[in-house]
Amino acid sequence: MKSPSQVLDPFFKALWPFFKSATRSFTDRRISLWFALVGLVVALLVTLVWLAGRYEASQYQAELDRDTVDAVSDIRRSLTNHSMNLQSLTARSLSAKHWRAEAEGLLSQHREWLRVERRGLQGLIIEHASSPFREPLFDGITRLHEQVEITQTCTRAKRLNGPAYSRTYFVPQANGLGFEVMEMCLPKIEQGATVGYTVLTYSLQDILASQLGETYGRRNEVSFVEPDGTRLAVYGSLPRGKRFFSATQLMNLPGNTLVLRMDGRRAGPDLFPNVLPALVTAMSIALVSVLVLLVKDSRRRLKAEQDLADALAFRKAMEDSLVTGLRARDLKGRITYVNPAFCQMVGFEAEQLLGASAPMPYWPTEMVGEYQRRQAVRLAGNAPPREGFESVFVRQDGSRFPVLIFEAPLINAVGKQTGWMSAFLDISEQRRVEEMSRASQERLQATARLATVGEMASLLSHELNQPLAAISSYATGSLNLIDQHQSLADQPGPSALSDLHMAFERIAAQANRAGKVINSVHDFVRRRDQDREAVSPRAIIDAVLPLVQLQARKLNVRLSIQLDDKLADVVCDRTMVEQVLLNLARNGMQAMDHPQCLNRVLTLHVKRAASNKAQGWIEFDVIDLGIGISDEISQNLFTPFFTTKAEGMGLGLSLCRTVVEQHGGHLEFEPNLPGGTLFRFTLPTQA
Ligand code: ADP
């Protein structure tokens, strides 16, 4: 099978490279578009996941910030409460014993309190009490190292008329550890004047533990830090986790500013920390899956499109290369499709034909009625004969031509008839060839006949010489007899008259015979155009007999004519059949014209065909005792112009077979044992 590009017409071939390059660039562009889409989707998904992670982190950071602010305000509130608790201790002038008892009571309520001191206006310690939860922090009563700091703080408290806080400092312990502590000084005011102070020492770590431990300390690490980041006190521990978050908040106290820092960690996978990113990721996976499916689908569709384009190109090439005209009509008889061959056939453009309905522009005007009736029959659902039917169309230029039409119902994909499909063959060329071959066959026959006639003419001249010579000698004899009686001037006697009578009779007989010979030739030539007729086999034999006899006499052949009884008439072109018989008889006689052939008998036997009795065929056998036919010769026997004779034309047998077969019969031959050949042909009878 040829590929579409091989059978495309030149125009389409010229367009093909452009079409291909256009398709390729279109395909390239489509592929790069797909890549761009995939890239964009991937970028979008990555961004979404990243943003979701970021959002998550910012949420957590905001939460931590909020917690830090809350924590600072919690601490501040409790410090204020502490100062108020202490105020009750400070305001009253208690005895040393009572003061200590109350102070220890307060100390046992607050773990973060390390020590409470009652100081005089000069800053000297009057009473002090330590936390029952730990070893006393300072040795002895005097705290010389811290004195300066405490004095400054108390001065500030006096000035503020309220609590003031010292800077933090580290107090080492005997066990190698120590505390970061902060002092709070509360002035004792009596009648508007400061008369002494109460100093409270805080443990920073315990502030964190008692104030934030329960709430924030579980999830985070809380610490007080210096502005440079140095940690002063830490509580809680950092949970395990990859991502680290931190928030700081300033805590302004009168006389000191602390920085509270809260550190947290987030555990769990960063990619799917919670529902949102998980959702986004799931959607992304779904999106990518859909994308992959789309790509696959598009690839399949691309292939289908390619196949379809190939099939279309193939179909178009096939349609264009067809010489058969194609036309489709819908069920209302309107033309829905014509191929280029049909347009070329009728000389109209496809646009002029599409949509046209009866009467069609290519119908001869006088046939419109008949064609319309035919179309109505077709549209009523009657299928035309499968072998097609003939019709005549007229071209746009007015010339007419015969067409052979095949019609079939047009069935769509769901099996419903949507119209009729017709194929048209322009048979004008076929008609011309048929006519030519008929003419040439006729010419061939005429030539063969002429050859036979020429041969017969020479035989005639030979044969006519005999009766003419006989006539001439009888006439001469008769004249001599008359002259003899005239010179003797006597009346011819009865014997002379009977001689003359006999001579004239012979003259008449010979003239009659010559006339018959001439008539038989005349008949043979004259009857060539006659149609088939019923002829008795005997009449055929009788017609050829004079001519056969002529040659038989010349070649010294004896004729044996055998006709069965009650033979039916045969239906044939009489002249042609006579010629067949004549040819076969002549060939048989010529085959015996050989020195070896001593017994020269030609038998013409007419009988009912043994094998085809029922059908009523008559068989003509022409049997000679000649030299026979060798295998080599028998292969070419019926080939036109094959001859073994110097003066032969080689047309006789091929012509004979054509004639017999035209009558529906067959011509065959077989060896005639012990010598010679039997030619047999059959003809149909009238029955
Ligand atoms: P032609 O007689 O002009 O040669 P034919 O077609 O009649 O042409 O015969 C072809 C050849 O067939 C003859 O030349 C001859 O050799 C051979 N042939 C025909 N009939 C016989 C026969 N009865 N016996 C032997 N040979 C024959």
Side-chain angles (χ1 to χ4, degrees):
M1 189 193 290
K2 285 185 172 183
S3 81
S5 58
Q6 276 177 304
V7 286
L8 290 178
D9 63 289
F11 174 69
F12 202 61
K13 258 187 192 163
L15 280 182
W16 187 246
F18 295 103
F19 175 70
K20 257 169 79 174
S21 76
T23 319
R24 200 179 307 129
S25 76
F26 180 68
T27 315
D28 288 352
R29 219 178 62 195
R30 185 143 56 178
I31 287 173
S32 52
L33 274 177
W34 270 113
F35 271 117
L37 181 64
V38 171
L40 276 175
V41 167
V42 168
L44 179 75
L45 295 183
V46 169
T47 313
L48 270 177
V49 171
W50 181 71
L51 279 178
R54 277 278 306 257
Y55 174 73
E56 189 74 0
S58 73
Q59 287 287 92
Y60 186 69
Q61 182 65 49
E63 192 188 340
L64 200 65
D65 286 343
R66 261 196 322 276
D67 285 355
T68 314
V69 172
D70 291 349
V72 165
S73 77
D74 282 0
I75 294 174
R76 200 195 293 277
R77 191 165 47 243
S78 66
L79 289 184
T80 311
N81 284 344
H82 293 170
S83 73
M84 280 158 66
N85 289 345
L86 216 54
Q87 188 69 43
S88 67
L89 187 68
T90 311
R92 286 175 290 155
S93 300
L94 297 168
S95 67
K97 193 177 152 205
H98 277 113
W99 183 90
R100 196 174 294 124
E102 264 197 46
E104 280 172 354
L106 286 171
L107 277 164
S108 64
Q109 286 169 23
H110 298 98
R111 259 182 175 277
E112 61 273 36
W113 293 13
L114 292 179
R115 179 182 161 108
V116 183
E117 294 168 352
R118 180 149 73 159
R119 293 198 180 219
L121 192 61
Q122 299 310 315
L124 293 175
I125 300 172
I126 302 166
E127 307 287 350
H128 73 89
S130 291
S131 167
F133 302 110
R134 330 194 130 71
E135 289 293 304
L137 204 58
F138 305 106
D139 292 337
I141 317 167
T142 53
R143 293 165 61 198
L144 292 176
H145 290 303
E146 297 84 25
Q147 194 56 47
V148 179
E149 185 64 41
I150 293 170
T151 310
Q152 277 180 3
T153 308
C154 288
T155 312
R156 192 172 298 126
K158 183 182 173 188
R159 203 173 56 240
L160 292 171
N161 238 350
Y165 295 84
S166 74
R167 283 186 306 196
T168 64
Y169 59 92
F170 187 73
V171 180
Q173 291 290 286
N175 56 8
L177 299 172
F179 294 98
E180 188 74 20
V181 298
M182 181 179 74
E183 310 286 352
M184 192 261 276
C185 185
L186 194 67
K188 178 177 178 172
I189 298 163
E190 283 179 2
Q191 293 161 1
T194 305
V195 291
Y197 304 98
T198 303
V199 174
L200 170 62
T201 310
Y202 276 113
S203 157
L204 287 188
Q205 182 162 17
D206 287 319
I207 294 179
L208 294 174
S210 61
Q211 301 305 323
L212 310 178
E214 284 298 307
T215 47
Y216 306 107
R218 291 189 180 201
R219 284 181 283 129
N220 309 300
E221 187 183 74
V222 284
S223 55
F224 284 118
V225 292
E226 286 188 344
D228 64 357
T230 313
R231 291 183 185 220
L232 301 174
V234 184
Y235 182 81
S237 60
L238 273 179
R240 284 176 178 279
K242 271 190 186 163
R243 297 178 72 175
F244 178 79
F245 296 90
S246 179
T248 53
Q249 181 69 33
L250 286 179
M251 188 167 78
N252 280 317
L253 298 170
N256 190 9
T257 299
L258 286 172
V259 179
L260 182 74
R261 174 166 148 176
M262 215 180 271
D263 294 330
R265 272 191 196 278
R266 285 306 298 232
D270 286 340
L271 202 55
F272 308 108
N274 64 12
V275 182
L276 182 64
L279 203 70
V280 167
T281 311
M283 274 167 57
S284 313
I285 290 170
L287 201 65
V288 169
S289 312
V290 169
L291 208 67
V292 168
L293 286 179
L294 263 176
V295 168
K296 272 190 182 167
D297 180 65
S298 139
R299 199 176 296 161
R300 261 205 308 273
R301 208 167 27 206
L302 213 66
K303 185 165 177 328
E305 271 175 23
Q306 188 68 44
D307 289 352
L308 197 69
D310 281 353
L312 273 178
F314 182 69
R315 204 193 85 167
K316 183 167 166 25
M318 228 165 59
E319 280 175 12
D320 292 352
S321 63
L322 270 183
V323 288
T324 309
L326 292 177
R327 179 201 65 188
R329 281 182 299 176
D330 62 14
L331 288 172
K332 291 201 173 108
R334 280 188 304 252
I335 297 182
T336 53
Y337 167 80
V338 283
N339 76 337
F342 184 77
C343 295
Q344 216 171 358
M345 212 179 267
V346 294
F348 288 97
E349 293 294 321
E351 290 73 35
Q352 292 173 287
L353 296 174
L354 289 176
S357 52
M360 302 296 181
Y362 47 83
W363 286 0
T365 22
E366 72 280 7
M367 309 266 215
V368 166
E370 184 194 330
Y371 285 11
Q372 247 164 351
R373 269 193 302 283
R374 194 168 67 195
Q375 181 166 323
V377 170
R378 191 78 62 252
L379 295 181
N382 300 318
R386 273 220 63 75
E387 64 276 11
F389 57 93
E390 281 191 35
S391 190
V392 174
F393 282 175
V394 56
R395 295 195 184 89
Q396 199 180 23
D397 61 12
S399 56
R400 285 160 193 241
F401 63 102
V403 280
L404 189 60
I405 308 177
F406 301 89
E407 291 203 303
L410 199 61
I411 309 292
N412 69 3
V414 294
K416 196 169 161 256
Q417 185 181 351
T418 56
W420 290 90
M421 189 73 190
S422 316
F424 300 86
L425 281 177
D426 183 346
I427 50 172
S428 38
E429 182 62 15
Q430 188 183 330
R431 281 286 144 76
R432 201 177 61 77
V433 170
E434 276 173 14
E435 182 56 36
M436 261 171 61
S437 101
R438 199 183 62 76
S440 74
Q441 200 165 358
E442 226 164 61
R443 267 203 305 281
L444 197 68
Q445 287 176 5
T447 315
R449 214 174 356 257
L450 277 179
T452 315
V453 169
E455 205 173 326
M456 280 190 305
S458 73
L459 289 170
L460 272 179
S461 64
H462 171 264
E463 187 59 22
L464 286 178
N465 268 341
Q466 284 181 12
L468 288 178
I471 288 170
S472 150
S473 61
Y474 283 128
T476 312
S478 304
L479 282 175
N480 285 344
L481 202 63
I482 292 167
D483 285 347
Q484 209 179 330
H485 284 281
Q486 267 180 351
S487 62
L488 293 175
D490 63 347
Q491 288 294 315
S495 78
L497 278 177
S498 92
D499 281 351
L500 275 176
H501 192 265
M502 191 200 73
F504 283 119
E505 263 179 3
R506 296 270 164 89
I507 287 171
Q510 289 299 324
N512 200 19
R513 189 177 142 212
K516 265 191 185 162
V517 170
I518 289 174
N519 268 342
S520 69
V521 177
H522 187 243
D523 282 355
F524 176 72
V525 178
R526 189 170 53 84
R527 284 205 305 262
R528 66 173 276 271
D529 282 334
Q530 276 180 4
D531 281 337
R532 290 187 188 184
E533 55 189 324
V535 195
S536 73
R538 176 168 291 283
I540 294 174
I541 298 283
D542 286 348
V544 295
L545 208 53
L547 295 168
V548 175
Q549 276 169 343
L550 279 178
Q551 197 164 20
R553 214 163 291 145
K554 186 185 170 195
L555 298 176
N556 232 344
V557 173
R558 189 164 63 80
L559 288 176
S560 160
I561 312 293
Q562 299 171 14
L563 276 149
D564 285 7
D565 291 338
K566 295 182 185 166
L567 287 173
D569 288 356
V570 290
V571 181
C572 62
D573 182 334
R574 185 176 175 167
T575 315
M576 300 306 282
V577 171
E578 283 169 11
Q579 196 188 337
V580 169
L581 204 56
L582 197 61
N583 271 342
L584 295 178
R586 193 194 54 186
N587 277 349
M589 287 187 286
Q590 283 174 344
M592 291 187 284
D593 183 18
H594 206 272
Q596 286 171 355
C597 296
L598 303 174
N599 190 12
R600 300 182 176 187
V601 181
L602 182 79
T603 311
L604 299 181
H605 188 182
V606 187
K607 56 182 179 183
R608 287 183 200 88
S611 55
N612 290 319
K613 233 174 221 167
Q615 282 93 340
W617 291 74
I618 299 290
E619 186 178 302
F620 291 76
D621 293 351
V622 181
I623 308 159
D624 67 69
L625 304 173
I627 48 165
I629 298 173
S630 69
D631 283 352
E632 196 186 334
I633 293 177
S634 72
Q635 284 172 4
N636 296 314
L637 210 57
F638 294 102
T639 312
F641 303 110
F642 170 79
T643 180
T644 56
K645 302 166 196 165
E647 75 288 4
M649 290 192 59
L651 290 169
L653 283 180
S654 75
L655 198 67
C656 288
R657 190 166 69 172
T658 310
V659 169
V660 171
E661 284 175 359
Q662 272 174 358
H663 284 79
H666 60 270
L667 173 66
E668 59 198 11
F669 68 94
E670 61 189 46
N672 178 43
L673 295 174
T677 314
L678 182 154
F679 275 86
R680 172 190 305 132
F681 68 92
T682 53
L683 288 175
T685 64
Q686 201 165 19

